[in-house]
Amino acid sequence: MSKQNDIKEKIYTAVDCMDNKSAKKLWDIIARDFNEFSKWALIPEEEPDEIDLYMLNQIENDPDCHEFVSSEEIEKLLLYPEQKNKIA
């Protein structure tokens, strides 16, 4: 994977783990610092639907959602399920 893709993956993972308030803060930074991309303003904002709200609630309240598993660990689990207990 290229270095640029590594950085994008880190950003995707960070946003995926953020609560809505933090994601909004990051979005405000992007909109402010990268305003040369005027198309940002054209992206419509949407209210979270029932599934989004459920997922946000799980992220905020379920301790298991705070456990990080790297993509490498997931790949090992998917490719070698018999190794499940050996992966920490």
Side-chain angles (χ1 to χ4, degrees):
M1 189 177 297
S2 74
K3 196 166 203 68
Q4 182 176 355
N5 285 340
D6 288 344
I7 292 168
K8 287 181 179 180
E9 185 174 333
K10 288 179 183 179
I11 293 169
Y12 298 144
T13 302
V15 170
D16 196 35
C17 295
M18 287 179 182
D19 61 29
N20 206 32
K21 183 178 176 184
S22 298
K24 171 79 168 92
K25 190 174 184 180
L26 178 61
W27 178 253
D28 291 343
I29 292 169
I30 291 169
R32 182 193 70 222
D33 292 353
F34 298 94
N35 62 8
E36 68 270 15
F37 300 111
S38 60
K39 293 183 181 178
W40 288 121
L42 301 176
I43 299 173
E45 290 205 27
E46 294 185 19
E47 291 297 315
D49 63 16
E50 186 177 316
I51 294 171
D52 295 329
L53 292 172
Y54 173 79
M55 289 174 28
L56 290 169
N57 183 42
Q58 290 296 102
I59 290 167
E60 291 175 3
N61 297 311
D62 184 348
D64 289 338
C65 289
H66 297 245
E67 184 177 323
F68 176 75
V69 179
S70 71
S71 58
E72 290 83 12
E73 288 174 302
I74 294 295
E75 188 174 315
K76 288 177 189 174
L77 288 171
L78 293 172
L79 293 175
Y80 309 104
E82 68 278 1
Q83 300 283 326
K84 182 179 179 181
N85 294 328
K86 295 180 183 179
I87 298 174

